[in-house]
Amino acid sequence: MKTSFAAAVLAIAGKDLRAELRSREVLMAMALFALLSVLVFSFALELDRAARGEAISGVLWVTLIFASILGFNRSMANEQDAGNFDALRLAPISRSAIFVGKLVGNCCFTLCVGLALLPLMTVLYGLNLLDGWVLLTTLLGVGGFSTIGTLLATMTAQTRAREALLPIALLPVALPFLLTAVRATKGVLGGEPQSEWQVWLQLLAGIGLIYFVLCMLLFEFVAEE
Amino acid sequence: MTDISSSNALENPMEPGAQPRLLRILTILTVLGFAATLILGLFVAGTDIQQGEVQRIFYIHMPSFFGAFTAFGATVVGGILYLARRSETWDQIALAGVEVGLAFALINLLTGAVWARPIWNTWWTWDPRLTSAAIMCLTYAAYLMLRAGIEDPNRRRAFMSVYGIFAFVSVLITLFIIRIVPETIHPVIVGASPQNAQGGFEATSGVVLALVPSLLLWLTLMPITLIWHRVRLEIRLEALSLQKIRALNE
């Protein structure tokens, strides 16, 4: 009997979320890292008021992507260490269901951090980030680099150096998301007319879709015995 | 094309099969072609009025990027075909593509820096295109690092095929970034330059005469020949490591 795609996705994502709710180790680490990163950035860049407006979208996205790497690493390493990944591969479900399930879990964690960062940075930097369009950009951007992050973390979890390799492998290929998301956020926050930055959001969504399809197709080869 | 030589190499890695005739012809053509395009670029093409002799580096700078494009393209094709057919040769081509492409990309960066020193008055600037070209190099350096980190050969081949496909994104970004991010100072020679571009020049008939042969050489002959040689070297290396294991077990 084959479990349906949706049921498998829900089961895998649900398991990740439940485990996280009980242990809270990944989310806590990600949130603390994100908080530290935002504070360290403001020291390192010695931001004055004008520079803050310029740099804030870069700070937001660099922080988010690094925090997400922590999450991807942990989430795949957990599967690998406890032997659960083998069990998932043996289960009568399609490989792409495993991918989407892990993706949903990873995406949720990073989104939590992102949603917590927005009000925090609004307070700390004195710029209103709680804007519908910024939320949409966060959703699309996080979803985007979570797809490629989940795929690559599955790969690096099976290598010798593991944690060290993921950022090296992920950052260059996640660059399209970083580039478009930073541009879109900057446009929205800078109060530019919508026609100016809308194209970045469209690009972000388009690239995200292409990556998602590619990752769905290629995950099968990454999850081989 | 390498199946015959691979079976020879397996028998005795120190004396693999002779070079296929086609490869020998390609090698000679590449060397002659490179000499010819150098002569065209260095002596036949006229000196640029504004930039002087340094502009001639362009006849290597731009073609080397497209050479890298072909080589990294071979990595994508090799990766897809490896995943579909599971033949080692395709993975060897993909790896050769990365190494050859990385060499070309570094030539591209270095020649760019040499040109920028007199024209932009700096070796390096954080221009979008320069940055993306540097990131492209790092992506493929990451490919090699990741590859070295995976022990199981079959897993390594499958993973690197997947990564090779994604890594090509960085090549496309480098190619198109001057069209999407307008604040670049990197000139565009074919088509309209961005507003802020500094150090552009017109593609006159003299420039085209020296550029087109060089571009064709770097796009086709040069990467194909080098990749082929690199694949043969890889076959020899693998055969050698097999023999080493065999010798240690005896």
Side-chain angles (χ1 to χ4, degrees):
Chain A
M1 195 188 79
K2 212 166 160 98
T3 319
S4 81
F5 188 87
V9 169
L10 281 180
I12 294 169
K15 153 193 87 72
D16 277 358
L17 294 178
R18 258 198 317 281
E20 190 50 41
L21 269 180
R22 286 177 194 159
S23 70
R24 288 196 200 88
E25 58 179 0
V26 181
L27 209 53
M28 280 306 277
M30 285 168 80
L32 260 179
F33 171 82
L35 179 63
L36 274 172
S37 160
V38 168
L39 295 177
V40 167
F41 262 122
S42 64
F43 277 117
L45 300 174
E46 297 189 345
L47 299 175
D48 56 36
R49 192 159 170 76
R52 248 183 271 161
E54 279 286 300
I56 191 168
S57 59
V59 171
L60 171 70
W61 283 101
V62 170
T63 301
L64 262 183
I65 202 162
F66 279 119
S68 78
I69 288 173
L70 285 182
F72 301 152
N73 260 333
R74 240 10 272 163
S75 126
M76 284 325 290
N78 279 341
E79 299 283 350
Q80 207 73 34
D81 292 343
N84 190 40
F85 199 54
D86 293 324
L88 282 177
R89 287 193 283 215
L90 283 173
I93 51 174
S94 73
R95 294 278 151 88
S96 44
I98 303 179
F99 172 70
V100 180
K102 291 303 291 180
L103 170 62
V104 171
N106 285 338
C107 219
C108 283
F109 298 148
T110 315
L111 264 182
C112 283
V113 177
L115 292 181
L117 266 186
L118 292 181
L120 184 79
M121 285 176 77
T122 303
V123 173
L124 289 179
Y125 287 77
L127 260 167
N128 187 18
L129 277 96
L130 297 167
D131 178 290
W133 289 109
V134 176
L135 280 176
L136 183 66
T137 314
T138 311
L139 198 68
L140 287 174
V142 167
F145 61 66
S146 295
T147 45
I148 183 71
T150 306
L151 181 91
L152 290 178
T154 315
M155 257 159 68
T156 51
Q158 301 174 58
T159 62
R160 236 180 307 145
R162 266 194 178 180
E163 270 83 1
L165 280 177
L166 184 60
I168 300 171
L170 176 63
L171 285 176
V173 286
L175 200 68
F177 297 113
L178 201 65
L179 192 86
T180 48
V182 167
R183 289 265 158 179
T185 314
K186 210 170 175 182
V188 176
L189 293 179
E192 290 168 27
Q194 191 172 344
S195 55
E196 292 273 309
W197 46 261
Q198 207 173 20
V199 62
W200 296 111
L201 271 182
Q202 287 161 351
L203 261 178
L204 184 58
I207 298 168
L209 196 65
I210 296 170
Y211 266 63
F212 181 72
V213 173
L214 266 179
C215 288
M216 283 275 273
L217 291 173
L218 293 173
F219 186 76
E220 196 184 318
F221 303 109
V222 171
E224 280 171 352
E225 317 290 305
Chain B
M1 58 184 178
T2 47
D3 287 347
I4 307 158
S5 55
S6 82
S7 63
N8 282 343
L10 277 177
E11 280 154 24
N12 187 352
M14 289 304 132
E15 281 172 50
Q19 276 188 17
R21 181 175 290 165
L22 182 61
L23 178 59
R24 234 181 272 173
I25 297 172
L26 277 176
T27 312
I28 294 169
L29 278 180
T30 309
V31 172
L32 289 180
F34 187 52
T37 54
L38 275 186
I39 292 171
L40 273 180
L42 291 178
F43 302 108
V44 178
T47 310
D48 192 87
I49 296 173
Q50 287 172 347
Q51 301 185 12
E53 302 290 351
V54 74
Q55 179 267 343
R56 293 178 192 279
I57 210 165
F58 168 73
Y59 302 124
I60 294 206
H61 174 69
M62 180 189 171
S64 65
F65 175 79
F66 284 96
F69 183 85
T70 307
F72 293 144
T75 302
V76 176
V77 174
I80 294 174
L81 287 172
Y82 174 77
L83 292 177
R85 305 233 176 103
R86 301 290 159 152
S87 141
E88 268 174 52
T89 311
W90 289 116
D91 177 62
Q92 286 159 346
I93 291 176
L95 171 64
V98 170
E99 290 190 1
V100 171
L102 195 54
F104 284 2
L106 288 175
I107 292 175
N108 177 251
L109 278 185
L110 285 178
T111 50
V114 169
W115 175 84
R117 180 75 188 105
I119 304 297
W120 288 345
N121 201 24
T122 172
W123 294 105
W124 182 263
T125 164
W126 292 105
D127 179 79
R129 176 165 251 186
L130 273 62
T131 311
S132 70
I135 288 173
M136 180 177 93
C137 290
L138 290 178
T139 313
Y140 286 95
Y143 176 103
L144 295 175
M145 271 202 71
L146 201 57
R147 194 175 175 103
I150 309 171
E151 270 155 3
D152 177 24
N154 282 325
R155 190 172 278 175
R156 177 170 61 219
R157 292 186 192 113
F159 283 12
M160 295 329 289
S161 298
V162 171
Y163 195 70
I165 294 170
F166 278 107
F168 198 67
V169 171
S170 65
V171 182
L172 294 179
I173 293 181
T174 310
L175 196 57
F176 292 116
I177 197 154
I178 41 175
R179 325 258 168 191
I180 20 182
V181 183
E183 57 259 32
T184 179
I185 59 170
H186 191 287
V188 179
I189 304 303
V190 183
S193 261
Q195 266 186 339
N196 321 349
Q198 284 168 26
F201 46 87
E202 252 179 278
T204 57
S205 58
V207 171
V208 171
L209 176 79
L211 176 64
V212 170
S214 179
L215 200 54
L216 287 177
L217 175 86
W218 284 83
L219 258 177
T220 54
L221 276 180
M222 200 101 109
I224 291 171
T225 312
L226 287 174
I227 287 174
W228 196 341
H229 279 293
R230 180 65 183 84
V231 167
R232 283 171 55 82
L233 178 66
E234 185 65 22
I235 291 167
R236 230 180 277 188
L237 281 173
E238 277 176 20
L240 189 65
S241 65
L242 258 181
Q243 285 222 329
K244 209 194 236 169
I245 294 169
R246 225 177 280 156
L248 284 173
N249 285 341
E250 265 165 22

